Amino acid sequence: MSLARVVFRLRVEEAIALAFLLPTTYLTVAANEYAREAGVLGDRHPGGMARLAVAAAGVVVLAAALWLRPRSRVVKGLREVLPFLTCILVYTNLHDTIGFVNPHDVHHALAALDRTIFGVVPAVWAERFITPARTEVMQFFYMSFAWIAPSTSLILLAQRRGREFRAATLGVVVCFYLGYLLYVVFPAAPPRLVLVYEFKRSLQGYPHLFSNLSARAFALLPVDSRAAFPSLHAGVSLLALYYAWRYVRGWFWVLLPFALGLWVSTIYLRHHYVVDLVAGWMLAPVAAWVAPRLDGWWQSKAS
């Protein structure tokens, strides 16, 4: 069997995942080795190799299950959610390696553009509203992205609406990977790292609530993280809203306040410039347009 036939037996989202996963995994290993040999860089990629080992074991187990029990409902269900899990792994790999691949940062240009449009950098301006209670609320909204992104797809999956589930899932996955490409082309660190000396107030919440969980999560990222432009929090959540409006109208109204809170939180918590959000919102309709056309072309090659 030719390589092309093997590749086209995969779903398009699985092929895209492999196209990203293999080189980013290699780069994560290479970057860790470089950091270890250089010594002076310290632990830039905490937990990166452990994440890869766990992910590799999971992929092997799932591949074996697909081979041995292809008709199992559990295995089929795992295959449906695998695109989201792979997106997360590629995302962590990119956090480890973007600066290693492309050192030409654009974050100062993004901050300057925010200043040109608003007269200030909104992430800096917003610190006047900081209180521990507001910080906890904003952290709650920001962390909600973990369930906002797959929520519409999971509802459609639970309703056994396979065609709509596939459309929503593929649109979100394509948005993620288009965003990943732009991360590499336009490396940008978030305001919390770039404008650290402009901030006068600490984003201190309460010790045992969402701020603590968020701090522990961000401790897993390298100290020179480059993944601000575009904002996939903005783009993917907008797509979740779009597919909810199309297929699960009631869920749209439940999701809307969480998405709005998420967008505000990215500025309040200093994770994004406003131009990052605009770029994310612009990316969403591109992904929604590209996804079904890409899938149709892929299926024509697979048949």
Side-chain angles (χ1 to χ4, degrees), residues 59-111:
V59 169
V60 170
V61 170
L62 182 58
L66 286 170
W67 180 267
L68 298 173
R69 300 289 299 276
R71 299 183 184 277
S72 167
R73 291 181 61 183
V74 173
V75 173
K76 288 181 178 179
L78 287 173
R79 190 179 186 187
E80 298 296 352
V81 300
L82 185 62
F84 284 110
L85 300 178
T86 308
C87 277
I88 294 170
L89 178 59
V90 172
Y91 180 69
T92 59
N93 284 357
L94 283 173
H95 264 295
D96 289 350
T97 58
I98 289 173
F100 185 76
V101 175
N102 183 0
H104 304 293
D105 295 329
V106 301
H107 38 248
H108 293 297
L110 299 176

Side-chain angles (χ1 to χ4, degrees), residues 16-17 25 31 44 62 77 99 111 121 125 145 181 225 236 244 260 262 267-268 280 284 287-288 297:
I16 295 172
T25 297
R44 295 177 63 251
L62 182 58
V121 176
W125 173 83
F145 180 70
L181 281 175
S225 176
V236 170
L260 294 175
L262 170 64
I267 303 301
Y268 178 97
W297 174 83

Side-chain angles (χ1 to χ4, degrees), residues 124-191:
V124 176
W125 173 83
E127 72 174 2
R128 69 190 62 193
F129 300 108
I130 290 175
T131 66
R134 288 195 188 106
T135 298
E136 291 297 339
V137 171
M138 290 295 106
Q139 293 285 11
F140 167 76
F141 279 122
Y142 189 78
M143 294 173 66
S144 296
F145 180 70
W147 62 260
I148 289 173
S151 63
T152 302
S153 293
L154 292 177
I155 290 172
L156 292 168
L157 181 62
Q159 294 176 344
R160 299 186 179 181
R161 298 168 63 185
R163 182 182 63 83
E164 293 88 348
F165 165 79
R166 185 88 199 295
T169 301
L170 186 58
V172 169
V173 167
V174 167
C175 187
F176 268 115
Y177 287 116
L178 289 175
Y180 295 165
L181 281 175
L182 292 174
Y183 282 173
V184 177
V185 175
F186 302 107

Side-chain angles (χ1 to χ4, degrees), residues 141 144 147-148 233 237-238 241 254-265:
F141 279 122
S144 296
W147 62 260
I148 289 173
H233 286 76
S237 59
L238 182 59
L241 284 170
V254 175
L255 201 57
L256 181 60
F258 289 97
L260 294 175
L262 170 64
W263 299 341
V264 173
S265 75

